[in-house]
């Protein structure tokens, strides 16, 4: 049962000399509506993971009442070149709720441990340092 949760476009860029990993959250499309109004208030939460542990997390601003938000927000993590192979980024698109807790709309992962597209995007970033590489990623349910 492959529910369509929407897609997220982001670019990855790594500067090995500075040890800086930049993920730019560009936009999302066709997000699953989480509110009774038929829309969502989406924001994106990015977690820097190392061997299953969360080292850092950052999030974008919240876009009100839309299923196709545009962010263009860059999130920068310091990752020394000797650690880049142990790192994964876990990206969750969340629905902000004033009442109750924020719900996860969908997630995607990039890094060495990621599957197919997430790993390909990561490897492409490593092959072309200093160049932002953007791709659409389908969101999946949190397992």
């Amino acid at each position: 049962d492959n529910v369509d949760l929407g897609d997220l476009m982001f670019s990855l860029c790594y500067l090995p000399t500075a040890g800086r990993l930049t993920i730019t959250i560009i936009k999302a499309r066709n997000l699953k509506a989480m509110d009774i109004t038929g829309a969502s208030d989406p924001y994106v939460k990015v977690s820097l993971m190392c061997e299953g542990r969360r080292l850092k997390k950052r999030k974008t601003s919240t876009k009100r009442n839309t299923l196709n938000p545009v962010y263009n927000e860059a999130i920068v993590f310091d990752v020394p070149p000797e650690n880049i192979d142990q790192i994964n980024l876990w990206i969750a698109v969340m629905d902000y709720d004033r009442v109750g807790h924020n719900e996860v709309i969908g997630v995607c992962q990039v890094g060495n441990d990621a599957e197919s597209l997430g790993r390909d995007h990561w490897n492409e970033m490593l092959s072309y340092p200093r160049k932002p590489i953007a791709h659409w990623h389908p969101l999946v349910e949190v397992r």
Side-chain angles (χ1 to χ4, degrees):
D1 53 327
N2 207 343
V3 206
D4 193 13
L5 301 172
D7 305 283
L8 181 66
M9 179 189 260
F10 56 88
S11 71
L12 296 172
C13 181
Y14 187 59
L15 302 168
T17 44
R20 235 182 26 229
L21 174 62
T22 304
I23 172 169
T24 303
I25 305 296
I26 301 170
K27 58 187 173 181
R29 64 182 177 201
N30 307 327
L31 293 178
K32 186 174 133 200
M34 302 298 275
D35 299 344
I36 39 176
T37 55
S40 296
D41 301 316
Y43 67 92
V44 181
K45 189 167 82 178
V46 181
S47 302
L48 182 72
M49 309 291 286
C50 180
E51 288 160 357
R53 293 195 319 278
R54 183 159 71 190
L55 304 180
K56 291 199 181 78
K57 64 174 196 233
R58 304 253 196 298
K59 54 189 194 196
T60 65
S61 57
T62 300
K63 301 295 178 193
R64 294 255 165 245
N65 214 7
T66 176
L67 297 178
N68 299 289
V70 176
Y71 297 100
N72 290 322
E73 293 180 37
I75 294 174
V76 180
F77 294 106
D78 291 319
V79 181
E82 60 272 18
N83 296 3
I84 194 74
D85 288 338
Q86 288 108 45
I87 291 297
N88 284 289
L89 290 178
W90 182 257
I91 301 138
V93 180
M94 309 285 293
D95 176 41
Y96 173 79
D97 277 318
R98 253 169 292 194
V99 239
H101 59 284
N102 300 341
E103 295 169 286
V104 180
I105 298 175
V107 297
C108 58
Q109 189 186 7
V110 288
N112 270 340
D113 299 346
E115 291 160 19
S116 55
L117 181 60
R119 195 174 51 239
D120 297 346
H121 193 176
W122 188 256
N123 290 335
E124 197 178 339
M125 168 195 81
L126 294 176
S127 308
Y128 300 97
R130 297 176 298 287
K131 188 174 167 231
I133 311 279
H135 284 296
W136 283 102
H137 289 257
L139 297 173
V140 296
E141 285 181 319
V142 187
R143 303 203 244 310

